[in-house]
Amino acid sequence: MFENLADRLGGVFDRLTRQGALTEADVQTAMREVRTALLEADVSLPVAREFTRAIERKATGQQVTKSVTPGQQVVKIVHDELVRVLGGETDPGPLKIDNPPAPILMVGLQGGGKTTTTAKLARRLKEREGKKVLMASLDTNRPAAMEQLAILGQQIGVDTLPIVPGEDPVAIARRAKTQASLGGYDVYMLDTAGRLHIDEVLIQQAADVRDVVKPRETLLVVDGLTGQVAVEVAKEFDDKIGVSGVVLTRMDGDGRGGAALSMRSVTGKPIRFVGLGEKLDALETFDPERIAGRILG
Ligand code: GDP
């Protein structure tokens, strides 16, 4: 995750920290390189621009250029700005699932990793928080997707709602809610149908389910490799059905990572988790401090 960006920024800051004294021109040159590196990582232009402007403002002050270790100080400013843009100043707190049975609605496009992430998160809630979790697939168009969730459930020892052929998504959601109450579950997760594009049917279905279960969390699962497209998808889902958080998948690849940097500024929504592989334990909480540290090496 972020290897390319980390390499690029590492180079810029190596040069900067080797210099004894810094001029405003040095900082400006470095920030041009930083901006290019961010754009290459597929960070959106306004975010990249605001990012480097904020750093320039802070770094060209007297204090930095006269500091004993000006380069180090610029790196510190960049670190703090990274944490800010990643959402570090406003901690969303834990998932709101304390009042059982708490519904979690999982939404996203087909192929983004929604079903896998549903199982990963269920596993995490079970193993780390001792929650009793029920999962239900609402993807009535794709019986294979419903089967897939049932198989994943078996692998992680998490119950899935039995499949009743011919039932519509809202009816499944109602049954999951009843089952979760009767069965003493802490959380029930609804894996909604994915489609290749955001269309009316998809949105209407998710909205109908939302209105029936009133989810405590609505998590959008989106492929982190798609960069700015992921951010656009998140914006659209949020406008149309409202999301409370984002999960970025495929962050294990050599993806450019721009989605992680643009998401919060553009959508206002926190990234909650990142997917780091196909295995069911490959899900990490998104911690802006740790990610900023990773980017800067
Ligand atoms: P859905 O259509 O959104 O439900 O997508 P799936 O959950 O079926 O995932 C599609 C493919 O992406 C599967 O082969 C998953 O194993 C894979 N996948 C999901 N999350 C990740 C991830 O974080 N990293 C990697 N490398 N693959 C993932």
Side-chain angles (χ1 to χ4, degrees):
M1 180 164 48
F2 301 117
E3 283 82 3
N4 295 343
L5 185 59
D7 275 357
R8 291 288 308 267
L9 295 186
V12 178
F13 296 132
D14 269 355
R15 280 195 290 285
L16 216 55
T17 45
R18 263 189 267 117
Q19 283 173 260
L22 286 187
T23 62
E24 292 196 9
D26 293 332
V27 174
Q28 271 167 16
T29 308
M31 286 313 118
R32 256 201 307 280
E33 290 179 60
V34 169
R35 188 156 51 230
T36 309
L38 291 175
L39 293 176
E40 280 176 10
D42 210 13
V43 173
S44 82
L45 180 61
V47 174
R49 206 182 264 155
E50 172 49 32
F51 185 88
T52 44
R53 273 196 196 138
I55 293 163
E56 260 177 273
R57 269 198 305 275
K58 292 179 196 160
T60 50
Q62 291 284 316
Q63 281 151 330
V64 169
T65 39
K66 288 202 175 129
S67 156
V68 228
T69 55
Q72 292 293 358
Q73 215 168 323
V74 174
V75 176
K76 163 86 170 68
I77 292 169
V78 173
H79 173 271
D80 293 350
E81 189 58 23
L82 271 176
V83 173
R84 196 192 63 74
V85 80
L86 290 164
E89 283 180 342
T90 37
D91 180 5
L95 290 178
K96 294 176 190 61
I97 50 167
D98 42 353
N99 220 351
I104 301 182
L105 194 62
M106 306 294 288
V107 299
L109 295 179
Q110 192 174 313
K114 188 163 32 60
T115 301
T116 313
T117 303
T118 302
K120 284 178 175 178
L121 183 56
R123 179 185 179 280
R124 190 182 175 93
L125 293 174
K126 173 189 166 210
E127 306 218 332
R128 300 215 181 183
E129 300 186 30
K131 301 281 189 201
K132 187 175 175 191
V133 183
L134 176 70
M135 304 190 292
S137 171
L138 309 186
D139 200 346
T140 49
N141 298 324
R142 292 194 309 146
M146 302 183 92
E147 287 295 332
Q148 186 195 349
L149 190 69
I151 292 166
L152 294 175
Q154 279 168 10
Q155 285 173 11
I156 57 175
V158 167
D159 294 338
T160 47
L161 191 73
I163 299 169
V164 176
E167 213 174 17
D168 67 57
V170 169
I172 301 173
R174 284 210 172 92
R175 190 157 57 86
K177 185 178 180 179
T178 307
Q179 175 71 26
S181 298
L182 296 177
Y185 288 89
D186 298 303
V187 175
Y188 62 105
M189 303 182 68
L190 302 175
D191 183 15
T192 60
R195 289 184 174 244
L196 295 176
H197 304 285
I198 300 175
D199 64 25
E200 279 305 310
V201 180
L202 172 92
I203 293 297
Q204 193 54 51
Q205 216 171 65
D208 289 346
V209 170
R210 174 198 64 197
D211 295 344
V212 166
V213 303
K214 308 214 167 25
R216 217 61 60 68
E217 295 279 352
T218 300
L219 299 180
L220 172 78
V221 180
V222 64
D223 183 347
L225 285 183
T226 60
Q228 291 194 58
V229 171
V231 180
E232 290 307 314
V233 167
K235 233 168 92 180
E236 207 170 335
F237 265 94
D238 188 39
D239 287 347
K240 301 212 158 126
I241 51 176
V243 308
S244 59
V246 177
V247 182
L248 280 184
T249 60
R250 302 215 176 83
M251 297 299 281
D252 49 308
D254 55 359
R256 293 170 293 171
L261 283 150
S262 299
M263 189 62 78
R264 189 63 186 258
S265 311
V266 176
T267 68
K269 301 297 165 182
I271 300 173
R272 287 298 202 154
F273 299 97
V274 285
L276 292 170
E278 300 204 23
K279 291 212 184 112
L280 295 173
D281 59 358
L283 185 75
E284 235 181 52
T285 52
F286 186 80
D287 174 359
E289 279 283 347
R290 197 178 56 225
I291 305 263
R294 221 178 258 180
I295 293 174
L296 291 180

